Amino acid sequence: MERYSDEELEEFKQIIKDNYQQAKKELQMLREQISEFSENISEGFGADYTQDSSSVSQLELLNEQVLRKRDQVQDLQNAMLRIKNKVYGVCSVTGKLIDRKRLEAVPTTTKSLEGMKLQASGAMDVTAQDLARMASERKEGPNKIISKIKKPPPPKAKPVVKKKSRRRKAQEEDEDDLI
């Protein structure tokens, strides 16, 4: 398998570490802004409807920014894991190396331009990584998804005949005597 050299991976590792530190700082600042904004909004909430709706919109915007920043931090952590496993820079669709300039611009990318085009065109079948990603999005295991693809019907069950216990047999015989 073609991959980047250890020296190149170290360079990418440094880029990702720098981006990670910056993203963590920005995430902390956004969380502090939300906390401060929430305290300020609660003091005068309900006095002016237009101001309240504006404040709520601003709070929603900040929350959306936090979610995006959190996703970015997670993507950077995943990139570090790919570096550790020495698969960083390998396209998850084509298996070829992603262009170095693309990785420098978007260090969290997992697809080359060719892979993105192939996947967007629908020319590629669903990959195992896509199955695993879809499973994690639905909080299911990959085996559960694979089992949904083609699963043979279960064998027909044989009818189960319950054996009567001695006590039950004796009770039925006693009941027969009464009739």
Side-chain angles (χ1 to χ4, degrees):
M1 175 176 86
E2 192 178 4
R3 72 174 188 88
Y4 282 102
S5 70
D6 290 341
E7 293 81 25
E8 291 170 313
L9 288 177
E10 279 299 317
E11 291 174 29
F12 289 125
K13 186 176 185 178
Q14 191 57 47
I15 292 170
I16 291 170
K17 276 185 178 180
D18 294 342
N19 286 346
Y20 179 78
Q21 294 302 322
Q22 182 65 30
K24 287 292 276 186
K25 286 178 187 175
E26 290 172 7
L27 182 61
Q28 184 60 35
M29 285 177 18
L30 285 168
R31 286 182 173 157
E32 288 171 4
Q33 282 180 347
I34 288 176
S35 177
E36 186 178 310
F37 194 76
S38 295
E39 289 173 12
N40 293 339
I41 198 173
S42 64
E43 291 174 6
F45 200 76
D48 183 12
Y49 177 74
T50 55
Q51 187 178 0
D52 291 349
S53 64
S54 174
S55 298
V56 169
S57 295
Q58 288 176 338
L59 190 58
E60 287 175 357
L61 180 65
L62 283 172
N63 280 323
E64 194 64 35
Q65 289 174 336
V66 165
L67 291 175
R68 275 188 253 123
K69 193 55 69 175
R70 209 171 55 198
D71 288 345
Q72 181 187 8
V73 167
Q74 182 63 50
D75 289 345
L76 289 165
Q77 289 172 338
N78 291 340
M80 288 297 278
L81 186 60
R82 288 192 302 276
I83 286 177
K84 182 179 177 184
N85 293 333
K86 300 188 188 247
V87 293
Y88 180 79
V90 178
C91 178
S92 62
V93 176
T94 64
K96 298 176 184 175
L97 281 182
I98 300 171
D99 185 52
R100 184 178 180 86
K101 289 180 183 177
R102 177 166 169 73
L103 287 171
E104 289 171 353
V106 186
T108 58
T109 190
T110 59
K111 295 179 183 98
S112 64
L113 292 176
E114 178 188 358
M116 287 179 66
K117 288 176 186 174
L118 283 171
Q119 197 168 37
S121 70
M124 297 287 295
D125 291 333
V126 177
T127 64
Q129 288 180 336
D130 290 334
L131 285 174
R133 180 183 45 75
M134 288 186 289
S136 67
E137 288 173 356
R138 289 196 307 254
K139 306 291 186 237
E140 297 176 350
N143 293 336
K144 192 161 190 166
I145 288 179
I146 291 170
S147 67
K148 289 180 184 178
I149 294 173
K150 285 188 178 179
K151 190 174 185 180
K156 293 183 180 180
K158 296 178 183 177
V160 177
V161 179
K162 290 186 176 180
K163 294 183 180 179
K164 296 179 183 176
S165 66
R166 290 183 189 173
R167 177 184 268 173
R168 178 84 176 166
K169 242 183 192 178
Q171 284 178 343
E172 286 179 2
E173 288 174 4
D174 289 343
E175 289 175 3
D176 287 342
D177 292 342
L178 295 175
I179 298 178

